[in-house]
């Protein structure tokens, strides 16, 4: 029966990463599944491994927002533009979620980062400067999303050998 549960958990881990496309907490779901397995089968892995996965999940979140801010700043955004981009990305993900079978959340987050930064930068900046800063927020958000997804895939790949009996 342990094999059945292991297969189901591994499938759950893989499916959890689909949540990345919907701007949902995929890495945290994967961490929860691994912690549940550790709780049920304590001999399968050490708690240190679960803690390392938790640090990786937190790093993925920090990178997602940090790279957005870095990208916007590198392209000339002010602090106001950075804040506008982050708020726009969150709002875009929320409002985009109902579209394209949920994939609108990803498009909404990327577009929201761009529009949020653009709107925040427009007063007091020339149009080309504001558009350049918004492009940076978009590029940074895309890079952050990519790294967060890669971290999630790595978490799953590292967990599978510890789950399979």
């Amino acid at each position: 029966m342990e094999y059945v549960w292991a297969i189901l958990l591994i499938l759950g881990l893989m499916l959890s990463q689909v949540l990345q496309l919907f701007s949902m907490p995929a890495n945290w779901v994967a961490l929860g599944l691994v912690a549940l397995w550790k709780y049920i089968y304590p001999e399968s892995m050490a708690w240190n491994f679960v803690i390392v996965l938790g640090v990786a999940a937190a790093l993925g979140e920090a990178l997602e927002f940090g790279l957005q801010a870095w990208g916007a700043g590198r392209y000339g955004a002010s602090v106001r533009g950075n804040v506008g981009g982050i708020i726009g990305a969150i709002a875009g993900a929320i409002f985009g979620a109902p579209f394209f079978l949920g994939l609108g959340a990803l498009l909404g987050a990327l577009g929201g980062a761009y529009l949020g930064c653009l709107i925040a930068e427009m007063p007091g900046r020339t149009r080309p400067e504001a558009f350049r800063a918004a492009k940076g927020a978009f590029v940074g958000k895309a890079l952050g999303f990519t790294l967060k997804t890669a971290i999630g895939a790595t978490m799953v790949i590292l967990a599978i050998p510890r789950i399979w009996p």
Side-chain angles (χ1 to χ4, degrees), residues 51-68:
I51 291 169
V52 167
L53 290 185
V55 169
L59 178 66
E61 296 294 334
L63 281 173
E64 184 177 26
F65 287 106
L67 285 172
Q68 178 182 338

Side-chain angles (χ1 to χ4, degrees), residues 71-139:
R74 183 148 169 90
Y75 281 68
S78 64
V79 172
R80 185 178 65 215
N82 267 319
V83 171
I86 290 170
I87 291 170
I90 293 168
I94 291 168
F95 290 118
F99 301 102
F100 305 116
L101 301 173
L103 293 175
L106 175 59
L107 299 173
L110 292 170
Y114 183 88
L115 286 175
C117 184
L118 180 66
I119 290 167
E121 289 291 339
M122 284 301 250
R125 291 257 174 139
T126 65
R127 285 178 77 104
E129 288 174 333
F131 280 111
R132 188 174 194 299
K135 178 183 173 187
F138 176 87
V139 168

Side-chain angles (χ1 to χ4, degrees), residues 5-90:
W5 290 118
I7 289 169
L8 290 174
L9 188 85
I10 290 169
L11 286 174
L13 284 172
M14 287 191 234
L15 288 174
S16 74
Q17 295 307 298
V18 173
L19 296 174
Q20 300 279 17
L21 297 174
F22 305 107
S23 292
M24 295 181 78
N27 295 350
W28 298 108
V29 170
L31 177 65
L33 289 172
V34 170
L36 177 66
W37 184 264
K38 167 61 179 152
Y39 180 74
I40 294 171
Y41 295 101
E43 70 283 350
S44 63
M45 65 187 84
W47 279 110
N48 290 343
F49 177 72
V50 179
I51 291 169
V52 167
L53 290 185
V55 169
L59 178 66
E61 296 294 334
L63 281 173
E64 184 177 26
F65 287 106
L67 285 172
Q68 178 182 338
W70 171 82
R74 183 148 169 90
Y75 281 68
S78 64
V79 172
R80 185 178 65 215
N82 267 319
V83 171
I86 290 170
I87 291 170
I90 293 168

